[in-house]
């Protein structure tokens, strides 16, 4: 009898659905969806949990890329304290590729209706297309957040979902990826110094991402030749250090992590091109072993100690904080005493 792999896929999905059904039933959190004539069908869109306890249940209506779209997030009433309503709407707009500064923002009191019963709360509007509304309901001991785009109904009408099984059957699943063309070759001028080109691309992507976070727009992408550039940097690292491929890959990864982290913590990295260039140069000389006794040596040793503590679950928070501060202080001392003399 010929093996049919789709049978095992169906069985696995059925087990996953049954597991989710049990989790939702045992969570104590209600499942809430939008209701009304002609609205996009509701489907289960995920849940969040902390220490094994479900804290958020999410239902989605419509498609995120086209047409009317909405999400309904039900949370325990203490779980949204660090999630301001405007931030929730900004994230949705940002993910849609729209600009935050292109819309007028307003905030008002609002009323939702849950199974016909009014529940008061707060609404944030961004232009004519986007809204985020949040209400706390003592009767179900939960907080409900609804984010909409181009939603046809003027009033938010909600319903408690007695049986989430139909929603689980409509769980969104990522479509099979389309065949991708081979990545373009690395330009010759970049291939000659792949370490530096990789660092420059990573730092540019970081700056673009910060701009995207601030104002939205098209999501920044790494260069199309990123993977090829990475492989070229690993090969060059092996040539310069005789490291194995895994060790060379870790060294390249660490150099990028060090410099992108430094860019986020040292003001001079963005404001002083001279110091930034020296920091990049010395970091690359350090990681490739092409120079010893660098002025930034104490900072690199502090970074290694810092990185050893980060994945160590036994390291207490005070030790991690002290290592982080020692690393910052080492770079501050380096920047304060830096001169124009090349390393």
């Amino acid at each position: 009898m010929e093996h049919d792999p789709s049978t095992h896929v169906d069985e696995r999905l059925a087990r996953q659905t049954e597991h989710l059904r049990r989790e939702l039933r045992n969570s104590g959190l209600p499942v809430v969806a939008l209701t009304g004539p002609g609205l996009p069908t509701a489907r289960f869109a995920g849940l969040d949990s902390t220490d094994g306890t479900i804290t958020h249940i999410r239902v989605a209506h419509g498609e995120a890329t086209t047409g009317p779209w909405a999400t309904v997030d039900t949370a325990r009433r203490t779980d949204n304290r660090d999630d301001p309503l405007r931030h929730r709407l900004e994230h949705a707009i940002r993910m849609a590729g729209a600009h935050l500064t292109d819309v007028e923002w307003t905030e008002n009191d609002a009323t939702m209706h849950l199974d016909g019963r009014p529940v008061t709360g707060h609404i944030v509007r961004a232009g004519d297309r986007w809204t985020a509304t949040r209400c706390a309901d003592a009767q179900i001991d939960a907080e409900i957040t609804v984010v909409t785009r181009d939603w046809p109904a003027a009033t938010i009408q909600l319903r408690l979902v007695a049986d989430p099984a139909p929603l689980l059957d409509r769980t969104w699943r990522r479509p099979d990826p389309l065949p991708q063309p081979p990545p373009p070759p690395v330009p010759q001028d970049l291939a000659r110094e792949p370490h530096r080109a990789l660092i420059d691309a990573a730092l540019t992507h970081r700056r673009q991402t910060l701009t995207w976070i601030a104002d939205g727009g098209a999501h920044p992408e790494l260069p199309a030749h990123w993977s090829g550039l990475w492989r070229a940097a690993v090969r060059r690292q092996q040539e310069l250090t005789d490291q194995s491929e895994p060790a060379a890959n870790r060294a390249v990864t660490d150099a990028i992590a060090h410099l992108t982290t430094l860019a986020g913590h040292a003001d001079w990295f963005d404001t002083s091109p001279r110091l930034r260039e020296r920091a990049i140069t010395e970091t690359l000389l350090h990681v490739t072993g092409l120079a010893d006794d660098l002025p930034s040596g104490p900072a690199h040793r502090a970074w290694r100690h810092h990185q050893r503590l980060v994945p160590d679950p036994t390291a207490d928070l005070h030790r991690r904080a002290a290592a982080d501060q020692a690393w910052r202080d080492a770079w501050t001392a380096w920047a304060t005493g830096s001169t124009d003399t090349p390393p």
Side-chain angles (χ1 to χ4, degrees), residues 33-43 59-63 66-70 149-153 159 167 170:
L34 288 157
T35 187
L39 298 183
T41 303
R43 54 181 168 75
V59 172
H61 296 256
E63 298 298 329
T66 59
W69 167 87
R149 182 198 62 219
D150 298 332
W151 199 247
R159 63 183 175 89
L167 300 184
R170 293 190 292 269

Side-chain angles (χ1 to χ4, degrees), residues 32-40 42 59 61 72 113-116 146 151-153 155-161:
V32 178
L34 288 157
T35 187
L39 298 183
V59 172
H61 296 256
V72 183
H113 290 82
L114 178 60
D115 288 335
V146 181
W151 199 247
T155 304
I156 300 295
Q157 302 283 347
L158 300 164
R159 63 183 175 89
L160 286 173
V161 179

